Amino acid sequence: MPPTPRSQKTSACALNGTDIRTLRAGLLARADRGELHYPGRPDTPLTKLLLIYEATGAFFGPDWAGLADFLAADDSGEGQAKSLLTPLVGQDVVNDATQVFCLDYLLPVRDYREYAAHLASSRRIAPDMQAGPEALATMAACLGQQAPIPNPQHPLRVSGPTLLIANALHDPATGYNWAVSTAQQLGRAGRLFTYEGWGHRIYDHGQCAVNGIDRYLISLELPAPGTRCPAIPPTQSKISTYRPLPGPVPGLPGWVRS
């Protein structure tokens, strides 16, 4: 049997020694039954989907300690813990860059039955996370997009300076396999630059990553082929927050309808 998944190795972690997978499964079930609320906010329900968003938000930084605090407070129903998502101010019209996906992908969902089938497939593929927030948000944002789309996917064809493709090995949004595929398509027109850690961006994760990107942006100096920067523990790198959805998020702490 594989080893039981455990929390962070430091005793300062709120979930040190806890079986994370069991805890998370229990919280998701309780959220699905409407039994959870945001820590310290008894009037703000924490739905199953928002609980998934909170975990994804923590992975972007990553902010594992913040996620542990949030899950521990939510499990006990005591104390307070901040949301790992960037608070949003609600409004009826939002200038949202997510709409650019609707020009690149056709993501039709005809009815709820088809949507539920996608969710069921997602749960089978990823039983711990159950759903990808970015995929759900993009799908919802692009409902009604007419075919043909303006910029459909196609093999990459580029000209000009060699492109630098920088990606974390454990990226929660743009998987490393995407970066590898892009580099393979570009061939001599691209150079893969790998950060062996976690998070959605790599620039602020250690001097290796910063220096490599700075040299490229300032003088188009490329890192050597196969360059890999060592992982930096989250406590030593900048932790960022995450905006998970296009537009306002009803129910999220900080959300106010204007």
Side-chain angles (χ1 to χ4, degrees):
M1 292 181 62
T4 301
R6 295 288 176 179
S7 64
Q8 288 178 260
K9 296 179 180 180
T10 171
S11 59
C13 175
L15 295 178
N16 178 252
T18 300
D19 186 329
I20 300 297
R21 181 166 288 162
T22 299
L23 174 70
R24 177 173 170 79
L27 288 174
L28 286 171
R30 290 167 61 188
D32 210 22
R33 295 192 297 268
E35 298 174 0
L36 296 184
H37 56 76
Y38 270 86
R41 295 175 177 266
D43 58 337
T44 306
L46 180 63
T47 66
K48 182 178 180 179
L49 191 54
L50 283 175
L51 184 57
I52 292 172
Y53 286 140
E54 290 289 343
T56 305
F59 295 156
F60 265 57
D63 185 2
W64 298 330
L67 179 59
D69 290 341
F70 184 90
L71 294 178
D74 213 42
D75 183 45
S76 67
E78 301 175 356
Q80 297 188 10
K82 69 175 183 178
S83 168
L84 281 302
L85 311 178
T86 305
L88 304 178
V89 177
Q91 50 191 358
D92 291 327
V93 179
V94 176
N95 293 323
D96 176 39
T98 305
Q99 294 294 323
V100 72
F101 285 102
C102 309
L103 306 179
D104 301 337
Y105 300 93
L106 187 63
L107 304 169
V109 177
R110 290 167 293 187
D111 51 33
Y112 180 77
R113 178 178 295 182
E114 185 172 358
Y115 175 69
H118 284 311
L119 290 181
S121 177
S122 179
R123 287 193 296 270
R124 288 193 298 271
I125 295 169
D128 291 325
M129 285 304 295
Q130 299 201 4
E134 298 85 0
L136 294 180
T138 302
M139 183 174 64
C142 297
L143 286 176
Q145 171 70 40
Q146 298 297 310
I149 54 176
N151 186 34
Q153 301 299 288
H154 57 77
L156 296 175
R157 297 182 296 274
V158 303
S159 59
T162 302
L163 300 179
L164 182 65
I165 307 149
N167 216 95
L169 192 60
H170 307 290
D171 190 309
T174 54
Y176 185 69
N177 57 321
W178 294 1
V180 171
S181 174
T182 299
Q184 289 174 342
Q185 289 185 56
L186 291 172
R188 293 182 179 180
R191 178 69 53 82
L192 181 61
F193 184 47
T194 302
Y195 168 63
E196 295 184 314
W198 321 266
H200 181 46
R201 63 171 184 250
I202 77 170
Y203 181 76
D204 49 11
H205 286 27
Q207 283 303 119
C208 174
V210 170
N211 292 341
I213 293 175
D214 280 352
R215 284 193 291 267
Y216 175 78
L217 294 177
I218 293 171
S219 61
L220 292 181
E221 179 184 344
L222 289 163
T227 296
R228 303 174 77 91
C229 293
I232 304 296
T235 53
Q236 299 177 23
S237 62
K238 183 178 178 181
I239 295 175
S240 60
T241 52
Y242 164 52
R243 176 173 176 165
L245 286 171
V249 184
L252 187 66
W255 185 88
V256 180
R257 191 163 194 67
S258 60

